[in-house]
Short mmCIF file of all heavy atoms in Angstrom, two decimals:
data_model
loop_
_atom_site.label_atom_id
_atom_site.label_comp_id
_atom_site.label_asym_id
_atom_site.label_seq_id
_atom_site.Cartn_x
_atom_site.Cartn_y
_atom_site.Cartn_z
N GLY A 16 239.28 113.02 73.66
CA GLY A 16 240.44 112.16 73.88
C GLY A 16 240.43 110.92 73.01
O GLY A 16 241.09 109.93 73.33
N GLU A 19 242.96 109.58 68.29
CA GLU A 19 243.78 108.49 67.76
C GLU A 19 242.95 107.36 67.16
O GLU A 19 243.47 106.53 66.43
CB GLU A 19 244.72 107.94 68.84
CG GLU A 19 244.04 107.24 69.99
CD GLU A 19 243.44 108.16 71.05
OE1 GLU A 19 243.72 109.37 71.03
OE2 GLU A 19 242.67 107.67 71.89
N ASP A 45 248.78 117.87 68.88
CA ASP A 45 247.99 116.63 68.94
C ASP A 45 247.68 116.10 67.55
O ASP A 45 247.79 114.91 67.29
CB ASP A 45 246.69 116.86 69.70
CG ASP A 45 246.90 117.13 71.17
OD1 ASP A 45 248.01 116.89 71.69
OD2 ASP A 45 245.94 117.59 71.83
N ALA A 48 250.81 114.70 65.88
CA ALA A 48 251.13 113.37 66.41
C ALA A 48 250.20 112.32 65.82
O ALA A 48 250.64 111.21 65.47
CB ALA A 48 251.06 113.37 67.93
N HIS A 52 251.51 109.28 63.40
CA HIS A 52 251.23 107.89 63.74
C HIS A 52 250.49 107.21 62.59
O HIS A 52 250.81 106.08 62.20
CB HIS A 52 250.41 107.79 65.03
CG HIS A 52 250.03 106.39 65.36
ND1 HIS A 52 248.79 105.87 65.06
CD2 HIS A 52 250.73 105.39 65.93
CE1 HIS A 52 248.74 104.61 65.44
NE2 HIS A 52 249.91 104.29 65.97
N HIS A 81 258.76 112.68 62.32
CA HIS A 81 258.09 111.96 63.40
C HIS A 81 257.58 110.62 62.88
O HIS A 81 257.81 109.57 63.49
CB HIS A 81 256.95 112.82 63.94
CG HIS A 81 256.27 112.30 65.15
ND1 HIS A 81 255.32 113.03 65.80
CD2 HIS A 81 256.36 111.14 65.84
CE1 HIS A 81 254.86 112.34 66.84
NE2 HIS A 81 255.49 111.20 66.88
N LEU A 85 258.90 106.94 63.99
CA LEU A 85 257.94 105.99 64.57
C LEU A 85 257.92 104.68 63.79
O LEU A 85 257.90 103.60 64.39
CB LEU A 85 256.53 106.59 64.58
CG LEU A 85 256.20 107.61 65.63
CD1 LEU A 85 254.80 108.18 65.41
CD2 LEU A 85 256.31 107.03 67.03
N LEU A 88 261.12 102.71 64.61
CA LEU A 88 261.10 102.18 65.99
C LEU A 88 260.09 101.05 66.12
O LEU A 88 260.35 100.06 66.82
CB LEU A 88 260.82 103.30 66.98
CG LEU A 88 261.97 104.30 67.17
CD1 LEU A 88 261.53 105.49 68.00
CD2 LEU A 88 263.18 103.62 67.79
N ALA A 89 258.95 101.16 65.44
CA ALA A 89 257.96 100.09 65.48
C ALA A 89 258.51 98.82 64.83
O ALA A 89 258.22 97.71 65.28
CB ALA A 89 256.68 100.53 64.77
N ILE A 92 261.27 97.62 67.42
CA ILE A 92 260.75 97.28 68.75
C ILE A 92 259.25 97.01 68.63
O ILE A 92 258.42 97.82 69.03
CB ILE A 92 260.99 98.43 69.76
CG1 ILE A 92 262.43 98.91 69.67
CG2 ILE A 92 260.66 97.98 71.17
CD1 ILE A 92 262.66 100.24 70.37
N GLY A 94 255.57 96.10 69.29
CA GLY A 94 254.82 96.12 70.54
C GLY A 94 255.18 97.25 71.47
O GLY A 94 254.67 97.32 72.58
N ALA A 95 256.05 98.16 71.03
CA ALA A 95 256.37 99.32 71.88
C ALA A 95 255.11 100.13 72.12
O ALA A 95 254.33 100.38 71.20
CB ALA A 95 257.44 100.18 71.23
N ASP A 96 254.90 100.51 73.33
CA ASP A 96 253.73 101.29 73.72
C ASP A 96 253.86 102.72 73.23
O ASP A 96 254.96 103.28 73.19
CB ASP A 96 253.61 101.26 75.25
CG ASP A 96 252.33 101.87 75.72
OD1 ASP A 96 251.31 101.16 75.79
OD2 ASP A 96 252.33 103.09 76.02
N VAL A 97 252.74 103.31 72.85
CA VAL A 97 252.73 104.69 72.36
C VAL A 97 253.37 105.63 73.39
O VAL A 97 254.11 106.54 73.04
CB VAL A 97 251.29 105.13 72.04
CG1 VAL A 97 251.23 106.60 71.68
CG2 VAL A 97 250.72 104.30 70.91
N ASP A 98 253.09 105.41 74.66
CA ASP A 98 253.67 106.26 75.71
C ASP A 98 255.19 106.14 75.76
O ASP A 98 255.87 107.11 76.08
CB ASP A 98 253.07 105.92 77.07
CG ASP A 98 251.59 106.27 77.17
OD1 ASP A 98 251.16 107.20 76.44
OD2 ASP A 98 250.88 105.63 77.95
N GLU A 99 255.70 104.98 75.44
CA GLU A 99 257.15 104.78 75.42
C GLU A 99 257.82 105.58 74.30
O GLU A 99 259.01 105.88 74.37
CB GLU A 99 257.50 103.31 75.23
CG GLU A 99 257.14 102.42 76.40
CD GLU A 99 257.45 100.98 76.11
OE1 GLU A 99 256.87 100.42 75.17
OE2 GLU A 99 258.30 100.41 76.83
N LEU A 100 257.05 105.91 73.28
CA LEU A 100 257.59 106.61 72.12
C LEU A 100 257.22 108.09 72.10
O LEU A 100 257.41 108.76 71.08
CB LEU A 100 257.12 105.92 70.83
CG LEU A 100 257.51 104.45 70.70
CD1 LEU A 100 256.93 103.86 69.43
CD2 LEU A 100 259.02 104.27 70.73
N ALA A 101 256.74 108.61 73.20
CA ALA A 101 256.34 110.02 73.26
C ALA A 101 257.50 110.96 73.00
O ALA A 101 257.31 112.05 72.46
CB ALA A 101 255.71 110.32 74.63
N PHE A 102 258.69 110.53 73.31
CA PHE A 102 259.87 111.37 73.07
C PHE A 102 260.08 111.67 71.59
O PHE A 102 260.69 112.67 71.24
CB PHE A 102 261.13 110.71 73.65
CG PHE A 102 261.59 109.51 72.86
CD1 PHE A 102 262.51 109.65 71.85
CD2 PHE A 102 261.08 108.24 73.14
CE1 PHE A 102 262.94 108.55 71.12
CE2 PHE A 102 261.49 107.14 72.41
CZ PHE A 102 262.42 107.29 71.40
N VAL A 103 259.57 110.82 70.73
CA VAL A 103 259.76 111.00 69.29
C VAL A 103 259.15 112.32 68.83
O VAL A 103 259.74 113.03 68.02
CB VAL A 103 259.18 109.81 68.50
CG1 VAL A 103 259.26 110.04 67.01
CG2 VAL A 103 259.92 108.53 68.87
N ALA A 104 257.97 112.67 69.35
CA ALA A 104 257.33 113.93 68.97
C ALA A 104 258.19 115.12 69.36
O ALA A 104 258.34 116.06 68.58
CB ALA A 104 255.95 114.03 69.60
N CYS A 105 258.78 115.06 70.54
CA CYS A 105 259.65 116.17 70.99
C CYS A 105 260.86 116.29 70.08
O CYS A 105 261.22 117.40 69.67
CB CYS A 105 260.09 115.95 72.43
SG CYS A 105 258.78 116.04 73.62
N LEU A 106 261.49 115.18 69.78
CA LEU A 106 262.67 115.21 68.93
C LEU A 106 262.31 115.71 67.53
O LEU A 106 263.00 116.57 66.97
CB LEU A 106 263.29 113.81 68.85
CG LEU A 106 264.53 113.67 67.96
CD1 LEU A 106 265.65 114.58 68.46
CD2 LEU A 106 264.99 112.23 67.95
#
Side-chain angles (χ1 to χ4, degrees):
E19 67 280 349
D45 292 347
H52 177 261
H81 187 174
L85 283 175
L88 289 171
I92 312 166
D96 188 86
V97 174
D98 293 333
E99 292 177 298
L100 301 177
F102 72 92
V103 175
C105 293
L106 179 60

